[in-house]
Amino acid sequence: MSLVELIGQADERGLAASGLACLDRCVPLLGGDDEILRPLWAGLADDAAAEEWGERLEQVRGKLGGDGEFGAADGEPGQGSDSGSGSGSGEDEAVLLARRMLAAAPAERSAAGVRAWADACSVAALQIHRLLDPLRDAGDSVDARREGRTEGMSPLVAAELRRQITVLELLAGHGPAGLRPALEVSTEGRRVLRAVVSRRSRRRG
C-alpha cells in the first residue's frame, strides 16, 4: 500500500506514532536532545496514559520553545514551497516546518485529531528531507511520493518515505508491540538528519 493508504487505515495509536515519529526524526532542527520525546512515546504504550498526552506535550513544547508561536495563522505543518534548493533559506524553512509540526500536535489524543496531524506531519517531514537533501528530488511534489510514485527520488527523501511506511506497518501488524521497533526506526532517521544538519553547518562555517 502507498503511504496515503496506510495513514487512511491506521488506528489512533498508529496515527499518533506516525506523527510522533516524523517529529522525532526532525528534533535536530529544534535543538532538542535524543530523549526529548520519550515521555510521549512511553504514553503510547499505555492506553490509560492517553489522557496525559496533552500534559506531556506541553512539557515538551516548553523544553523546545514550541509555545504555539507557529500556529494556524502560519499554515499547516506540511505547507511551504516545494523546492529543495539546498540553500540557507531551505534550512530556515525546514526549521519552520518542524516547529509547525510541534505546534500543531493536538492536545487530545483522539483518532480524528491525530489523523489530521499524522497526515500533515508526513508531508512536512518529507518536505524537510527534500529541502535538506544535497541531491535534487526529481518529483513534482512530496504528495506524489506519498501516493506511490517514487521514480527519481533523492536518497534522503526515499529513506524518509521508507521509514514512514515502516512505522505504520509495524503498528498495524503488531499493535503496542510495534512501538519499540518503530522508535528504533525513528532513532535511525534522527541520527541521519542530525548528521545532515551538522554537515551543512560545517560547510557554512
Side-chain angles (χ1 to χ4, degrees), residues 79-121:
Q79 289 182 348
S81 69
D82 207 18
S83 63
S85 64
S87 66
S89 61
E91 187 166 336
D92 291 342
E93 185 176 350
V95 172
L96 179 59
L97 286 168
R99 288 206 171 275
R100 285 175 175 168
M101 290 165 65
L102 177 60
E108 184 177 333
R109 212 181 82 193
S110 64
V114 292
R115 185 176 301 279
W117 181 57
D119 193 60
C121 285

Side-chain angles (χ1 to χ4, degrees), residues 36 55-68 102:
I36 191 74
E55 180 181 347
R56 296 181 184 191
L57 179 61
E58 284 308 308
Q59 291 172 354
V60 169
R61 283 175 173 153
K63 292 176 182 178
L64 291 175
D67 57 1
L102 177 60

Side-chain angles (χ1 to χ4, degrees), residues 18-195:
S18 176
L20 185 57
C22 288
L23 179 60
D24 201 352
R25 289 190 291 277
C26 296
V27 157
L29 293 168
L30 301 176
D33 61 45
D34 290 346
E35 301 297 317
I36 191 74
L37 299 183
R38 281 301 179 99
L40 291 171
W41 279 106
L44 292 184
D46 183 1
D47 289 331
E51 60 188 31
E52 299 175 11
W53 167 270
E55 180 181 347
R56 296 181 184 191
L57 179 61
E58 284 308 308
Q59 291 172 354
V60 169
R61 283 175 173 153
K63 292 176 182 178
L64 291 175
D67 57 1
E69 57 184 310
F70 300 100
D74 292 296
E76 292 300 319
Q79 289 182 348
S81 69
D82 207 18
S83 63
S85 64
S87 66
S89 61
E91 187 166 336
D92 291 342
E93 185 176 350
V95 172
L96 179 59
L97 286 168
R99 288 206 171 275
R100 285 175 175 168
M101 290 165 65
L102 177 60
E108 184 177 333
R109 212 181 82 193
S110 64
V114 292
R115 185 176 301 279
W117 181 57
D119 193 60
C121 285
S122 167
V123 174
L126 285 166
Q127 179 63 6
I128 285 168
H129 285 75
R130 181 170 177 154
L131 286 163
L132 298 181
D133 200 326
L135 299 178
R136 184 178 181 278
D137 186 86
D140 293 332
S141 70
V142 297
D143 288 334
R145 303 319 192 186
R146 284 165 25 95
E147 293 166 1
R149 300 196 293 278
T150 59
E151 298 81 9
M153 273 198 300
S154 60
L156 210 58
V157 175
E160 171 60 15
L161 179 67
R162 184 170 61 251
R163 290 186 185 102
Q164 289 191 25
I165 289 172
T166 299
V167 166
L168 285 161
E169 289 178 340
L170 284 167
L171 270 293
H174 304 285
L179 285 168
R180 181 176 292 278
L183 177 57
E184 292 172 354
V185 168
S186 189
T187 297
E188 176 199 6
R190 186 174 63 244
R191 289 171 179 160
V192 169
L193 194 65
R194 194 179 293 282

